[in-house]
Every structure is written in structure tokens, then in C-alpha cells.
Amino acid sequence: RNKVHIEALKSANLNMIHADAYFSLFSESAIRRIFKSYRPEIVHIQDHFPLSQDVVRVAKQFGIRLIGTNHFMPENLAAYVRLISNIKPVYNRIMWTWMLGVYNQLDVATAQSKASAAILRSQGLSIPVYPVSCGIDLKRFHPDPTLDRTAVRTRYGLDPSRTVFLFVGRVDHEKRLDVLLQAIKILNRDDIQLGIAGDGAAKEYLKTMADDLGLGDRVQFTGFVPAEDLPALLNSSDIFTMPSEAELLSIASLEAMACGRPVLLANAVALPELAGDGVNGYLFRPGDASDAARCMALLVNHPERWARMGASSQEKAHFHSLENTLKQYETLYVNLLAGTYSNIAEKAIKGLRSSPHWLGGHKK
């Protein structure tokens, strides 16, 4: 597909835990067959779950170089583990031990932000880790002054006459959309509407919560948004919001920023790297609906600031261009194969620092 060879492996559906959860079955023989046929020089994993564990095991047997990007935090799964609040320290330690057991076998790791790289170091990752953005496609995501905003809003049930705060992403518990619903209730303003774009395991729960709070059409669940519609939907909104407390970067926030939107973000993990208070939006205390409401009011009451904030958002987003990300990974891949392990780290860091968009930081 598009010159990419895709292999599908058998798996078991774990929808009793999450609608998108699957568990690979007996994958080692398939991985061996793929490696023998394809003969990769580098294997790049994106998680530490069973399939990737098998991939790492076989790659080490074949003597293949290994790199891994981490997208995981224990909070991502906590919402689906019952009674987790009673054993959170134990749960966190178990989850990090599982992740580190896989990633410490690699040659090098990457993380999407400086904050996410720092988290990995603090948890005990012993290999070099470099912050490299996931990257966004600036050819698709950019301001569109010719857009018919009213038509786009109408298509997705958003009110053309209100100030629209838009969330885009998985509608799951760890995204903390409940905080935004409570903030809308606190504000009790008919000139504001919250749009929640996407699907997920928490959608029906949040719809029920919105009904219980009496929010009416002040909250609109748009459902799934096709990729081709996303730039237009972002451009049709006034302010983008991300209340999650477990974002290692937030691609959705960056895409909105590239479209010139002011942002309202939780002051947690990597989100403060994307926003500055009063610069391109505001940061609110994580999980604090009252503070989120305060920041919402600041934005709604001063529309004259939106253009300046949007321009600042766009400038910040340009540092995360997909082209820059590809260059950084190419540097890592080339230097990973360049010689002995002892000089890989220094070669890679030297190459990455030559980029004007280098995010900084590594552990020897």
C-alpha cells in the first residue's frame, strides 16, 4: 500500500476492556518469517505490548538494531482498570516496570517531547532517549481564510453564532472531557458551545453526563470526523481545547495550532510546551473545572486577542513540521548503523543539534 509492505497478524479481540484492544497470538513464528524475507537493518517499535515484545526478542536473536518510540503513560490504561485509585502507586510501578523491561533492551529510544523524555529518564530508562516530535503535515493544516465557516459548522451541528471550543481526539476517559463539561456548566453562558469531535469508549458516558448537567445544545458531539474534513473543522472553530492530563505531545493540539487557533490546554505533562499563558492561549489546572471555566471566560471575553494568539500558535506549530521529524529520524537511523554503540549517541546528538528545530536533551 503506497509502497509500504503491510503484514497482518492474528489477534484476539479484548473489547471487554476497550473497543480498540487486541492481543496478538503466537506471533514469533510470523515475525521470524517476516525478518528472514524482508531482512531489516533496523526495527522500530511503537509500544511495549505483547507483539512488540516478540518483535524485540526475535530482532535481538537476529542481531538487528532496535529503536523504540514511547507513547505510553500508566494513566492511559488506568481508566479501564477498576479500583485503580486504591492501588495507584503499585499500579504505576507495575506498568512502568513492564514498559522498561522492553525498552531497556533497545539501542535508543525517542519520545515526542522534552517532558516525555524526562519522564522516561526519571522512571529508569537506561538507554539514550531523544525528544523527537511526531510531526504534523503543514501542507494540510494551515489557516484557510477562504473557508465557509458557517457551512462547516452547520454540517457538524455547531452553532455559527457562538464561540466554539473544539476538542478533537479519542473520546475516552483519560482525555478528561468531564472537566470541560463541568466548566460549561459553571459558566452557564449561552454564547459558548463545546464541540467534541471523535468517537471512543467514553462517548455514551459523557453524553449522559451532559444530559444530567442540563447542558443541552451548549455541547455538541459531532461523532467521527473523516481525515479530509479535519482541517476545515479546525479552521471553523474559534478555540481548540485539550483537557487531558496524560498527553506526551498532542498531535491534535498541534494541528489546531497550525491552523492558527488559540488553545486552552491542561497544564500537564507536555502540553505546557505547546502553550504559554496569554501568548497563544491559556493553561488551566489539570482536573480543575473552575479554573478551566475561568480561562474559557478570558478567551471568550477578549476576541480581539484571538488573531495574535493564533499567529503565535502557528509559529510554534511550524517547529513540529513532518519534514523536520523525518530529518531527525533519518539522522538517528543512519547513526544507529554507523558504528559501535558507544559512538552512536554522540553522533546522533550532533546531527540532531544541527537542526534549527532540535528539541534538546539526552542521557548518555
Side-chain angles (χ1 to χ4, degrees), residues 59-111:
K60 292 184 79 68
Q61 293 170 0
F62 278 69
I64 301 170
R65 293 287 193 183
L66 284 159
I67 182 171
T69 300
N70 179 59
H71 306 269
F72 171 79
M73 289 185 68
E75 288 79 0
N76 300 142
L77 299 178
Y80 307 99
V81 181
R82 294 184 178 182
L83 303 177
I84 194 62
S85 59
N86 297 329
I87 58 165
K88 191 170 183 180
V90 175
Y91 162 81
N92 285 347
R93 191 65 262 157
I94 291 172
M95 291 295 101
W96 279 121
T97 299
W98 179 16
M99 180 270 174
L100 293 169
V102 176
Y103 273 64
N104 274 330
Q105 299 181 61
L106 311 181
D107 295 304
V108 65
T110 64

Side-chain angles (χ1 to χ4, degrees), residues 59-206:
K60 292 184 79 68
Q61 293 170 0
F62 278 69
I64 301 170
R65 293 287 193 183
L66 284 159
I67 182 171
T69 300
N70 179 59
H71 306 269
F72 171 79
M73 289 185 68
E75 288 79 0
N76 300 142
L77 299 178
Y80 307 99
V81 181
R82 294 184 178 182
L83 303 177
I84 194 62
S85 59
N86 297 329
I87 58 165
K88 191 170 183 180
V90 175
Y91 162 81
N92 285 347
R93 191 65 262 157
I94 291 172
M95 291 295 101
W96 279 121
T97 299
W98 179 16
M99 180 270 174
L100 293 169
V102 176
Y103 273 64
N104 274 330
Q105 299 181 61
L106 311 181
D107 295 304
V108 65
T110 64
Q112 304 96 315
S113 60
K114 290 183 282 188
S116 57
I119 288 171
L120 291 179
R121 296 187 197 107
S122 70
Q123 293 298 328
L125 188 70
S126 60
I127 62 173
V129 53
Y130 305 101
V132 181
S133 173
C134 294
I136 54 171
D137 187 352
L138 297 179
K139 294 177 183 176
R140 291 186 62 224
F141 295 96
H142 55 79
D144 184 0
T146 67
L147 181 75
D148 186 341
R149 287 161 52 96
T150 297
V152 176
R153 287 194 183 190
T154 301
R155 188 191 319 161
Y156 283 99
L158 300 172
D159 193 329
S161 65
R162 293 175 172 178
T163 297
V164 171
F165 288 80
L166 181 68
F167 165 89
V168 175
R170 288 182 297 105
V171 184
D172 282 343
H173 291 287
E174 74 268 21
K175 295 299 183 180
R176 295 307 312 271
L177 290 162
D178 57 303
V179 175
L180 295 183
L181 297 185
Q182 292 165 0
I184 294 292
K185 176 67 174 179
I186 291 169
L187 285 170
N188 194 29
R189 290 175 57 162
D190 288 331
D191 59 337
I192 297 173
Q193 187 177 47
L194 171 65
I196 297 177
D199 280 320
K203 184 176 177 180
E204 294 306 316
Y205 166 82
L206 291 166

Side-chain angles (χ1 to χ4, degrees), residues 42 65 331-341 343-344 347:
I42 294 174
R65 293 287 193 183
T331 299
L332 277 173
Y333 290 156
V334 167
N335 285 292
L336 190 58
L337 297 174
T340 63
Y341 178 76
N343 66 16
I344 288 172
K347 285 185 177 181

